[in-house]
Amino acid sequence: MAYGLARRELSPRVPLRPGEGERDHLTSLEGLAALSLDALSSVAYGPEAIVLGLVAAGTGALTATLPITLVITFLLAVLVVSYTQVIAVHPDGGGAYAVSKKDLGAKVSLLAAASLVVDYVLTVAVSLAAGTDALASAFPALAGHKLVICLIGLAVLTAVNLRGVTDSARVLMLPTALFIAAIGGVIVVGLLRAHPAAVVGTAQSHPAHEALGILLVLKAFSSGCSALTGVEAIANAVPTFRTPRVQRAQRTELMLGAILALLLIGLAFLIHRDHVAPRGQVTVLAQLTAGSFGTGPAYYATNLLVTLALLLAANTSFGGLPVLMSLLARDNRLPHLFGLRAERPVYRYGVVALALLAALLLTAVDASTHRLIPLFAIGVFIGFTLSQLGLVRHWATERPAHWKPRALINGTGALLTTVATVILLTTKFLHGAWVVVVAIPLMMLLFARIQRYYAEVGRELELGRTPGPPALRERSLVIVPLGEVSKLARHAVSTALAFGGDVVAVAVHSDPDRARALQEAWQRWNPGVRLDIIDSPHRSLVQPIVEYVERAAGDGRQVAVLIPEVEPRHRRYEILQNQRGLLLAHILRSRTDVVVCMLPYRLSV
């Protein structure tokens, strides 16, 4: 105080563990990198999907690419605005699932959850498959190893995400920035050129075998809607952002919408202006890249960045699906282990489950993008529709200030996404979409069955009710299985005596001489505990002890079995130890209601 400074109260600072505090949550830019690369990288296959749909009417029909892209961009704008409202109303994350559960009822929320799970798994599979397609286009020698490359990429992403979402965001920031710069460069340089700098790929004939009618336009539109997947991921992962979470997540959603819209419109304009048609051995985006940069180093660098972006786009699902699965676990619709978090801020079981499902799907289709695309986007558009319908009901029920314009925005979005969902189902049903139509109801049935099981368990355990007084029992009995008098026996008997109650040691021997020697050694030691030796002519050690315990527990006493177990210092020596104690514990738990305790004795060797 002599120097005019107020005295500060010092309090101990406890260091935070990994996953605690704001440092391990996302900023807006980190959220854009970790959760938006799926949507941004869709420019690599969304415009091409439109072109492939229109070319059935001949190359002249490709002029419809730009109008269809503008319609998709308008739908994108409606979705982005709608999801900023979802973020504000449901800051705990969950997106369509949280909205449906609150505003549309339990059954509808099951549909939302199932559709989102299907979409997230397909997002991982499609992103990895498309990425390996792009890589194989640049390096044809890799074409025969697509599945292996997909599985390697999946393993790397899984390992990164097991370290935490923030760590993966930092890994993705540079590739995301480079990808946006590369595609932006393709558009800007292409617009400055009067004609393409180079043409790549082999020429193909595109005879018109279908008229450019409303059905073909709808097919092209439904294919192009694959560019909108991933828009909902930010709303599903709001809890992973730093505070203020809502504002940061909304800012990230708006940045995503603006960047994606500019990229889609720019590429579509180049396709329209230069009359780009599908060519052999290259993608449409590769043609646009060659038209802007030529076939020099910039061409190969851009293609490699596109490949990397597509491979990393699967990270969106790793950021969103584990959070969604944790919400389902909290609602008793998935096993509770999916709600557990590791020391780092990650739902580890959700990450592993997503990786396994994606690996199975990739293996089943042999990493074929063409077999996955018909399944794509249907699940997420169901989620789009439900989330916006839920918000319309929310505004109509709560009626806050200025609720009518908000309801109009969400109602318009719900109408547009409903139409898009119907188009997706009707145009792609026979091309593989039927698999999603079957998978979603089965998943809903699984969620409902798990929830019913937890409800039945809760009723039996009388959860939420005050139980009666504890039952009074006679003095307890602790049974200690032993093989011989040793330091291990001393450790086990000392622990059993500390429990209180009666203690009895039990040994099984088939050799009378060894049984007599054990009895004499026990008497010399005299630990104050009775020893019962069971004769086993058939040399069975586990079954006689189980029968002994069953007889002891038959009179209603509380019985505990204390099984001593030797633990080597090094794991490589575990196979050298007798595992009979684990077998005994397993059989006792499955056949009796006694308390089974494993008592470790840690060796120094």
Side-chain angles (χ1 to χ4, degrees):
M1 299 296 292
Y3 297 94
L5 299 177
R7 181 180 179 182
R8 292 188 304 173
E9 295 293 335
L10 299 179
S11 58
R13 297 176 61 90
V14 179
L16 297 176
R17 295 184 305 163
E20 296 182 339
E22 288 296 298
R23 183 181 62 83
D24 284 319
H25 287 79
L26 301 175
T27 64
S28 295
L29 289 178
E30 289 174 344
L32 187 68
L35 301 171
S36 301
L37 197 52
D38 168 37
L40 294 175
S41 66
S42 65
V43 300
Y45 52 81
E48 182 170 7
I50 299 174
V51 171
L52 291 174
L54 292 174
V55 80
T59 55
L62 298 180
T63 56
T65 301
L66 183 57
I68 291 175
T69 302
L70 291 175
V71 174
I72 293 175
T73 304
F74 173 73
L75 180 57
L76 169 65
V78 174
L79 287 172
V80 168
V81 174
S82 176
Y83 270 102
T84 58
Q85 297 181 8
V86 172
I87 291 169
V89 176
H90 297 278
D92 291 333
Y97 173 69
V99 175
S100 300
K101 185 179 67 172
K102 179 179 180 293
D103 299 314
L104 299 177
K107 292 184 179 180
V108 178
S109 67
L110 290 176
L111 173 60
S115 62
L116 285 174
V117 171
V118 169
D119 174 69
Y120 277 132
V121 175
L122 281 169
T123 294
V124 174
V126 171
S127 298
L128 291 173
T132 53
D133 282 343
L135 186 64
S137 298
F139 304 99
L142 301 177
H145 307 284
K146 287 173 53 180
L147 178 59
V148 175
I149 296 174
C150 282
L151 295 179
I152 292 175
L154 180 61
V156 172
L157 281 178
T158 303
V160 169
N161 277 274
L162 287 175
R163 290 186 56 82
V165 174
T166 303
D167 290 343
S168 64
R170 290 168 182 160
V171 170
L172 292 171
M173 285 189 70
L174 180 60
T176 302
L178 292 176
F179 174 78
I180 295 173
I183 303 301
V186 169
I187 295 171
V188 172
V189 176
L191 291 175
L192 295 177
R193 290 187 178 275
H195 54 80
V199 178
V200 294
T202 58
Q204 291 182 332
S205 175
H206 301 287
H209 56 79
E210 189 173 343
L212 183 60
I214 185 64
L215 182 60
L216 186 63
V217 171
L218 290 178
K219 287 182 179 179
F221 170 78
S222 65
S223 298
C225 282
S226 60
L228 301 181
T229 58
V231 174
E232 80 291 348
I234 296 170
N236 292 348
V238 178
T240 62
F241 283 87
R242 292 183 186 179
T243 53
R245 290 184 173 84
V246 171
Q247 289 80 357
R248 289 185 185 275
Q250 288 177 327
R251 191 181 306 125
T252 305
E253 188 77 48
L254 292 173
M255 287 192 296
L256 166 63
I259 295 172
L260 181 57
L262 289 174
L263 296 182
L264 287 174
I265 294 175
L267 293 175
F269 182 80
L270 290 179
I271 292 171
H272 172 80
R273 189 196 68 177
D274 298 336
H275 306 288
V276 176
R279 294 175 66 87
Q281 300 179 352
V282 292
T283 64
V284 169
L285 182 58
Q287 294 184 61
L288 296 176
T289 303
S292 297
F293 299 146
T295 56
Y299 169 77
Y300 289 100
T302 301
N303 280 308
L304 288 175
L305 280 174
V306 170
T307 300
L308 179 62
L310 285 167
L311 291 174
L312 296 179
N315 193 76
T316 301
S317 292
F318 282 100
L321 183 58
V323 175
L324 175 63
M325 297 179 80
S326 72
L327 295 176
L328 288 168
R330 189 177 65 188
D331 294 336
N332 295 329
R333 292 174 170 178
L334 275 180
H336 290 166
L337 61 87
F338 287 106
L340 301 177
R341 299 209 324 172
E343 288 188 354
R344 294 182 177 273
V346 61
Y347 295 99
R348 184 161 293 172
Y349 291 100
V351 170
V352 173
L354 174 58
L356 292 176
L357 290 173
L360 289 174
L361 184 59
L362 286 167
T363 304
V365 301
D366 197 26
S368 172
T369 308
H370 298 294
R371 295 172 65 182
L372 290 170
I373 287 295
L375 312 178
F376 206 31
I378 294 176
V380 73
F381 267 82
I382 294 175
F384 286 162
T385 301
L386 294 178
S387 64
Q388 292 173 102
L389 285 175
L391 277 189
V392 169
R393 185 168 182 179
H394 169 79
W395 300 130
T397 303
E398 301 293 331
R399 294 179 180 267
H402 310 295
W403 70 272
K404 290 184 178 180
R406 299 177 183 179
L408 179 61
I409 293 174
N410 295 131
T412 302
L415 177 62
L416 293 177
T417 54
T418 299
V419 172
T421 303
V422 173
I423 293 172
L424 285 166
L425 287 173
T426 54
T427 58
K428 296 188 176 186
F429 185 81
L430 297 179
H431 299 283
W434 64 269
V435 175
V436 178
V437 175
V438 172
I440 288 179
L442 289 177
M443 198 166 297
M444 293 173 63
L445 182 63
L446 174 64
F447 295 156
R449 182 66 187 89
I450 293 175
Q451 188 175 23
R452 187 163 59 250
Y453 167 79
Y454 278 126
E456 293 172 355
V457 170
R459 283 192 295 270
E460 182 171 338
L461 297 179
E462 297 183 356
L463 298 180
R465 301 180 183 177
T466 303
L472 298 177
R473 297 194 179 187
E474 298 180 11
R475 190 175 174 85
S476 62
L477 173 65
V478 182
I479 300 175
V480 183
L482 294 173
E484 55 187 320
V485 175
S486 64
K487 192 176 180 179
L488 178 64
R490 177 180 178 274
H491 180 54
V493 171
S494 300
T495 304
L497 290 171
F499 285 174
D502 299 328
V503 177
V504 60
V506 178
V508 178
H509 279 290
S510 57
D511 186 352
D513 294 335
R514 295 189 60 184
R516 190 180 308 109
L518 175 61
Q519 186 68 51
E520 293 173 355
W522 192 267
Q523 291 175 355
R524 288 194 301 271
W525 180 32
N526 191 21
V529 171
R530 186 178 86 249
L531 172 66
D532 289 343
I533 299 179
I534 306 173
D535 183 35
S536 177
H538 302 291
R539 296 182 179 273
S540 173
L541 298 180
V542 174
Q543 187 61 32
I545 295 179
V546 173
E547 294 174 353
Y548 181 93
V549 172
E550 288 176 335
R551 289 193 301 269
D555 58 0
R557 299 181 71 185
Q558 178 64 60
V559 176
V561 181
L562 184 65
I563 304 174
E565 180 185 26
V566 173
E567 288 189 1
R569 180 179 179 183
H570 302 287
R571 294 182 62 87
R572 62 179 178 270
Y573 295 140
E574 287 184 358
I575 194 174
L576 302 179
Q577 296 297 326
N578 196 327
Q579 305 298 324
R580 192 175 291 110
L582 295 176
L583 176 61
L584 175 60
H586 174 73
I587 295 177
L588 287 173
R589 290 191 181 102
S590 63
R591 290 180 48 176
T592 69
D593 294 327
V594 303
V595 178
V596 180
C597 305
M598 301 298 296
L599 178 64
Y601 183 90
R602 293 179 175 84
L603 300 174
S604 59
V605 293

